[in-house]
Amino acid sequence: MDREEARRELARLRAEIERHNELYYVRDAPEITDAEYDRLFRRLVDLEEAFPDLVTPDSPSQRVGGRPLEQFAQVRHSIPMLSLQNAMDEGEVRAFDDRVRRFLSRSEDLDYVLEPKFDGLSVELVYRDGLLVQASTRGDGVTGEDVTANVRTIRAIPLRLRPRNQALDLFGSPAMPRLLEVRGEVFMPLDRFEALNRAREQAGEPPFANPRNAAAGSLRQLDPRVTASRPLDFYAYAMGATDGFEVSSQWELLQALREMGLPVSDLPRRVRGIEAVIEEYRRLEALRDRLPFEIDGTVVKVDSFALQRELGEVSRSPRWAIAFKFPPRREVTRVVDIVEQVGRTGVLTPVAELEPVRLGGVLVRRATLHNEDEVRRKDVRVGDFVEVQRAGDVIPDVVRVRTDLRPADAVPYQPRTTCPACGGPVSRQEGEVARRCVNASCPAQLKEHLVHFASRRAMDIEHLGDRVADQMVERGLVQSVADLYRLTREQVLTLDKMADKSATNLLQAIDRSRERPLERLIFALGIPQVGEALARSLAFRYGSLDALEAECDQPPGDEDPLMQVEDVGPKVAQAIRGWFAQPENRALLRRLREAGLRTTSGAGEGSADPAFAGKTFVFTGTLRSMTREEGQARVLARGGKVSGSVSRKTDFVVAGEEAGSKLAKARDLGVRVISEEEFLAMLGP
Ligand code: IVH
C-alpha cells in the first residue's frame, strides 16, 4: 500500500471506529460485535505502525498515550464555572420561580429545562475546530487542573466532533465551531463502581466510599493508564466560551451537543411553568433507583439564553438555575456492633457496624453515631433496628432507632474507658462532648495524622494513602509526621507491594512536599479547629511559623490578638494556643524545620503596605470582582487585619451589593465605609 492509500484508509478506519465508539458508549446501540470492533482497531494500529508519521492526535489509538505526569498544570477557565444554589423542598423551588419572574417582571409561565443533577465531578472540554485540545476539572471555578490526557481515555468523549446538520458555512457545507467549550459531568456508573470496589478489596486496596469519589479519584491520576483502566463515563450539559456556535436556549444546546456526537442524557425535559417543574421533579425522583448512575436531584434551568443573560448571577451562582435536591435516602437495618474509631486528634467516635444495606447505589456497612451523648440521646443498642440515611457525600448516619422492632436482648452502649487502638487512657474534658485518647503517640492517631498531613489539600504527598500510612505506623517506621522526611529507601522497600519504582515515587513525593506553602503546612499540622481557610488567614497574618509560635507564647491579655484573624473566636484561639502549648507539638515543629520545610510565606507583616498596615477591615455584602475570602486574603497579605464584626476599632467597612446590618452598624458608629471600587483602588494595580 502506498502512502496516499494508507492515509485514506487510516482516515476511513478512524471515522469508522469513532462511529462505533459513539454507538456503543454514547447511544448504547452497538452495531457490531466486540470481536469485529477489535479487528477494526487492530487494522488501525498495524497500519499506523507501518506509517508512524501518519498517526494523528485524534486517532482512537491515541486515547491512552504519554507517560505519567509529575503534577497537573493549572488551567484558568475562560469563563468561570459557577456553582448552583440548592432548593431542599417544593417551597424553595416555588420561591425560585417567583424570584426569577419578579426579576424579569414577567407574570406568565416560563420555560424551564429540567436535567438530572449528575453526581460526579464537572469538567470542561475545549474543542478547537472540532478537535479536543484540552480538558480541565472545575477546581475552584476559576482555575482547575489540566486533565487532558486522562479525559482522552474516556471513550464516551469524542476526540473529534461531527459538524451539526443545520449549521452550514458560507458555501453551504456543514460548519464546525472554531471554539466550543463543553461542560459536563464525569461519573462512574453504579455497576462499574461496584465491580471496581470488589476488585480493589480483593487486591487489598481500600474501596471507594461512593461512585463520586471513585470518579474523582480516577480522573485525578497522574498516570493516564490508570484512568484508562477505570470505567468512567460522561454527560454534557452546558457550554463555556464559543466561537462560531449559535444556540439560543438550553434545550437547543443539548440537541446541538448530541448532534455533534457528544453524550447527552435523554432524561432532560423542557416544561412550562412551576407546576410542570414540580411534576417533572417527581418523575425523575421515581426513576432514581432504576438509573444506572447516581443522581442527587434535578437541575432546573431557565431555557432561554436571552433571559439567562438578563438574570445574570449573584455570588458565583446563576440566578437562572437551581439544584432541586432529592431527600436523602433512608433504609432500615440492624446494628451488629458499636465500635469506636480514633481520629487524628485522638477523638473517639462511636460507629455503628451494620448489616450491609443498599442506600441508592452504595452498600453501607457502617454509620457514624457522632459522639457518646448522641448515642445516648438516640438510645442506640447493639441488636437494634435503625434507620440510616446517606445524604450526598457525607458518611452515612443513624437517624433513629425503630424501638417498635427492638429485640429483648438489645445491649445498651457502654463507652470504653481505654483507647481501642493503644489501650491508653481516655478522658472527657469539662464541657466537651468528645472523649479523647490522651496518648500523644497512639498509633491510630498517628496514622490518621499521617493521612491528613499527606492529603491533597494539605501537603499533597501522592502515593501516601491509608494503606501505606497504616504499615508505616505498624512497622514503627514513623513515630511522627516529621519522620517521613527521614525515611530511607531501604525502609520504604520493606512496605508491602513496594517495588523500586513505587519507592522512588513515594520518596520523591515526600521530598517535593518540603516546598508546600506555609498555609498548607499549618493546615497539615492538624491543629484542632484549624481548617484550610483559617490556615490561610494565619499564614497571611503571621507570615511565618516563628511569628505564630511567638504569638502563642505571649499571654493573650484582655483581647487576644489571635482573635483579630477572621473567624477566630475565643474557642478557636484557645484551641490554637492549647496546641502550641504542648511540648511534643513544639518538638514536631522543630523537627519539621530541621527537615527543611517552608515555614515562611514571604507575606505578612514583613511586606506590609502602609495603607493597610495595622488597619482593620470588615467585609459585607457581595463583591463583584472577588469573593469576600479573596478580599480578606488581600488585606492580610498587605499587613492589614480583618474582622467579622464592626466595632469602633474597625477602620474600613468594604460594602458590596446587598450589604446588610454591618453596613448599618458602621454608619451608626461613624466607621468609614468604602465601595468595592475604592477598595480596588487602595489595592493598586
Ligand atoms: S449546570 C451554573 N447541570 O452541579 C451551571 N450542573 O453546583 C452549573 N451538576 O459543578 C452547571 N449535573 O458538577 C449543571 N445537569 C447539570 C448538572 C450539574 C450535575 C453539577 C456540576 C456543578 C454543580 C453545580
Side-chain angles (χ1 to χ4, degrees), residues 82-84 115-122 138 185 237-238 299 301 318 320-321:
L82 303 177
S83 54
L84 293 170
E115 299 169 11
K117 185 164 192 305
F118 305 104
D119 199 12
L121 74 160
S122 48
R138 174 172 184 277
E185 203 86 348
Y237 52 63
V299 183
K301 302 176 180 175
W320 46 262

CSV table of all heavy atoms in Angstrom, one decimal, residues 82-84 115-122 138 185 237-238 299 301 318 320-321, ligand 1:
chain,number,residue,atom,x,y,z
A,82,LEU,N,-19.6,28.2,37.4
A,82,LEU,CA,-20.3,28.6,38.5
A,82,LEU,C,-20.8,27.4,39.3
A,82,LEU,O,-20.7,26.2,38.9
A,82,LEU,CB,-21.5,29.4,38.1
A,82,LEU,CG,-21.2,30.6,37.2
A,82,LEU,CD1,-22.5,31.3,36.8
A,82,LEU,CD2,-20.4,31.6,38.0
A,83,SER,N,-21.3,27.6,40.5
A,83,SER,CA,-22.0,26.5,41.2
A,83,SER,C,-23.4,26.9,41.3
A,83,SER,O,-23.9,27.9,40.9
A,83,SER,CB,-21.3,26.3,42.6
A,83,SER,OG,-21.3,27.5,43.3
A,84,LEU,N,-24.2,26.0,41.9
A,84,LEU,CA,-25.7,26.2,41.9
A,84,LEU,C,-26.2,26.4,43.4
A,84,LEU,O,-25.6,25.8,44.3
A,84,LEU,CB,-26.4,24.9,41.4
A,84,LEU,CG,-26.2,24.6,39.9
A,84,LEU,CD1,-26.7,23.3,39.5
A,84,LEU,CD2,-26.9,25.7,39.1
A,115,GLU,N,-33.0,18.8,34.2
A,115,GLU,CA,-32.0,17.8,33.9
A,115,GLU,C,-31.7,17.1,35.2
A,115,GLU,O,-31.8,17.6,36.3
A,115,GLU,CB,-30.7,18.5,33.4
A,115,GLU,CG,-30.9,19.2,32.2
A,115,GLU,CD,-29.6,20.1,31.9
A,115,GLU,OE1,-28.6,19.9,32.5
A,115,GLU,OE2,-29.8,20.9,31.0
A,116,PRO,N,-31.2,15.8,35.1
A,116,PRO,CA,-30.7,15.2,36.3
A,116,PRO,C,-29.5,15.9,36.9
A,116,PRO,O,-28.8,16.5,36.1
A,116,PRO,CB,-30.2,13.8,35.8
A,116,PRO,CG,-30.7,13.7,34.4
A,116,PRO,CD,-31.0,15.0,33.9
A,117,LYS,N,-29.4,16.0,38.2
A,117,LYS,CA,-28.1,16.5,38.7
A,117,LYS,C,-27.2,15.3,38.9
A,117,LYS,O,-27.3,14.5,39.8
A,117,LYS,CB,-28.4,17.2,40.1
A,117,LYS,CG,-27.1,17.9,40.6
A,117,LYS,CD,-27.4,18.9,41.7
A,117,LYS,CE,-26.2,19.7,42.0
A,117,LYS,NZ,-25.0,19.0,42.4
A,118,PHE,N,-26.3,15.2,38.0
A,118,PHE,CA,-25.4,14.0,38.0
A,118,PHE,C,-24.4,14.1,39.2
A,118,PHE,O,-23.9,15.2,39.5
A,118,PHE,CB,-24.6,14.0,36.7
A,118,PHE,CG,-25.5,13.9,35.5
A,118,PHE,CD1,-25.6,15.1,34.7
A,118,PHE,CD2,-26.2,12.8,35.1
A,118,PHE,CE1,-26.5,15.1,33.6
A,118,PHE,CE2,-27.0,12.8,34.0
A,118,PHE,CZ,-27.1,13.9,33.2
A,119,ASP,N,-24.1,13.0,39.8
A,119,ASP,CA,-23.3,13.1,41.0
A,119,ASP,C,-21.9,12.6,40.6
A,119,ASP,O,-21.5,11.4,40.9
A,119,ASP,CB,-23.9,12.2,42.1
A,119,ASP,CG,-23.4,12.6,43.4
A,119,ASP,OD1,-22.7,13.6,43.5
A,119,ASP,OD2,-23.6,11.8,44.4
A,120,GLY,N,-21.1,13.4,40.0
A,120,GLY,CA,-19.8,13.1,39.6
A,120,GLY,C,-18.9,14.3,39.8
A,120,GLY,O,-19.0,15.0,40.9
A,121,LEU,N,-18.0,14.6,38.9
A,121,LEU,CA,-17.3,15.9,39.0
A,121,LEU,C,-17.3,16.6,37.7
A,121,LEU,O,-17.3,15.9,36.6
A,121,LEU,CB,-15.9,15.7,39.5
A,121,LEU,CG,-14.8,15.1,38.6
A,121,LEU,CD1,-13.5,15.5,39.1
A,121,LEU,CD2,-15.0,13.6,38.6
A,122,SER,N,-17.4,17.9,37.7
A,122,SER,CA,-17.6,18.6,36.5
A,122,SER,C,-16.3,18.9,35.8
A,122,SER,O,-15.3,19.2,36.5
A,122,SER,CB,-18.4,19.9,36.6
A,122,SER,OG,-18.0,20.6,37.7
A,138,ARG,N,-13.2,21.4,37.3
A,138,ARG,CA,-13.7,22.7,37.7
A,138,ARG,C,-12.8,23.4,38.7
A,138,ARG,O,-12.7,24.6,38.6
A,138,ARG,CB,-15.1,22.4,38.4
A,138,ARG,CG,-15.7,23.6,38.9
A,138,ARG,CD,-17.1,23.4,39.4
A,138,ARG,NE,-17.7,24.6,39.9
A,138,ARG,CZ,-17.6,25.1,41.1
A,138,ARG,NH1,-16.8,24.4,42.0
A,138,ARG,NH2,-18.1,26.2,41.4
A,185,GLU,N,-20.4,16.4,33.2
A,185,GLU,CA,-20.0,15.6,34.4
A,185,GLU,C,-19.4,14.3,34.0
A,185,GLU,O,-19.9,13.6,33.2
A,185,GLU,CB,-21.3,15.3,35.2
A,185,GLU,CG,-21.1,15.1,36.6
A,185,GLU,CD,-21.1,16.3,37.5
A,185,GLU,OE1,-21.0,17.5,36.9
A,185,GLU,OE2,-21.1,16.2,38.7
A,237,TYR,N,-23.7,19.0,29.6
A,237,TYR,CA,-24.9,19.8,29.9
A,237,TYR,C,-24.8,21.3,29.8
A,237,TYR,O,-25.7,22.0,30.2
A,237,TYR,CB,-25.4,19.4,31.3
A,237,TYR,CG,-24.4,19.4,32.4
A,237,TYR,CD1,-23.8,20.6,32.8
A,237,TYR,CD2,-24.1,18.3,33.1
A,237,TYR,CE1,-22.9,20.6,33.8
A,237,TYR,CE2,-23.1,18.3,34.1
A,237,TYR,CZ,-22.6,19.5,34.5
A,237,TYR,OH,-21.6,19.5,35.5
A,238,ALA,N,-23.6,21.8,29.5
A,238,ALA,CA,-23.5,23.3,29.4
A,238,ALA,C,-22.3,23.6,28.5
A,238,ALA,O,-21.6,22.8,28.1
A,238,ALA,CB,-23.3,23.8,30.8
A,299,VAL,N,-31.6,19.6,38.1
A,299,VAL,CA,-31.2,21.0,37.9
A,299,VAL,C,-32.2,21.7,37.1
A,299,VAL,O,-32.6,21.2,36.0
A,299,VAL,CB,-29.8,21.1,37.2
A,299,VAL,CG1,-29.4,22.6,37.1
A,299,VAL,CG2,-28.7,20.3,38.0
A,301,LYS,N,-33.3,24.8,34.9
A,301,LYS,CA,-32.6,25.9,34.3
A,301,LYS,C,-33.6,26.7,33.4
A,301,LYS,O,-34.5,26.1,32.7
A,301,LYS,CB,-31.5,25.4,33.3
A,301,LYS,CG,-30.5,24.6,34.0
A,301,LYS,CD,-29.5,24.0,33.0
A,301,LYS,CE,-28.4,23.2,33.7
A,301,LYS,NZ,-27.5,22.6,32.8
A,318,PRO,N,-25.6,31.2,39.2
A,318,PRO,CA,-26.5,31.9,38.3
A,318,PRO,C,-27.9,32.1,39.0
A,318,PRO,O,-28.3,31.3,39.8
A,318,PRO,CB,-26.7,30.9,37.2
A,318,PRO,CG,-26.3,29.6,37.7
A,318,PRO,CD,-25.4,29.8,38.9
A,320,TRP,N,-30.4,32.1,37.2
A,320,TRP,CA,-31.4,31.4,36.3
A,320,TRP,C,-31.4,29.9,36.5
A,320,TRP,O,-32.1,29.2,35.7
A,320,TRP,CB,-31.0,31.7,34.8
A,320,TRP,CG,-29.5,31.6,34.5
A,320,TRP,CD1,-28.6,32.6,34.4
A,320,TRP,CD2,-28.8,30.4,34.2
A,320,TRP,NE1,-27.4,32.1,34.1
A,320,TRP,CE2,-27.5,30.8,34.0
A,320,TRP,CE3,-29.1,29.0,34.1
A,320,TRP,CZ2,-26.5,29.9,33.6
A,320,TRP,CZ3,-28.1,28.1,33.8
A,320,TRP,CH2,-26.8,28.5,33.5
A,321,ALA,N,-30.8,29.4,37.5
A,321,ALA,CA,-30.8,27.9,37.7
A,321,ALA,C,-30.8,27.6,39.2
A,321,ALA,O,-30.3,28.4,40.0
A,321,ALA,CB,-29.6,27.2,37.0
B,1,IVH,S1,-25.1,23.3,35.2
B,1,IVH,C1,-24.2,27.3,36.6
B,1,IVH,N1,-26.2,20.9,35.0
B,1,IVH,O1,-23.6,20.6,39.9
B,1,IVH,C2,-24.5,26.0,36.0
B,1,IVH,N2,-24.6,21.2,36.7
B,1,IVH,O2,-23.5,23.1,41.8
B,1,IVH,C3,-23.8,24.9,36.7
B,1,IVH,N3,-24.1,19.2,38.0
B,1,IVH,O3,-20.4,21.9,39.4
B,1,IVH,C4,-23.6,23.7,35.9
B,1,IVH,N4,-25.5,17.9,37.0
B,1,IVH,O4,-20.8,19.5,38.8
B,1,IVH,C5,-25.4,21.7,35.7
B,1,IVH,N5,-27.3,18.9,34.7
B,1,IVH,C6,-26.4,19.6,35.3
B,1,IVH,C7,-25.6,19.1,36.4
B,1,IVH,C8,-24.7,20.0,37.1
B,1,IVH,C9,-24.6,18.0,37.9
B,1,IVH,C10,-23.1,19.7,39.0
B,1,IVH,C11,-21.9,20.3,38.4
B,1,IVH,C12,-21.7,21.6,39.0
B,1,IVH,C13,-22.6,21.5,40.2
B,1,IVH,C14,-23.1,22.9,40.5
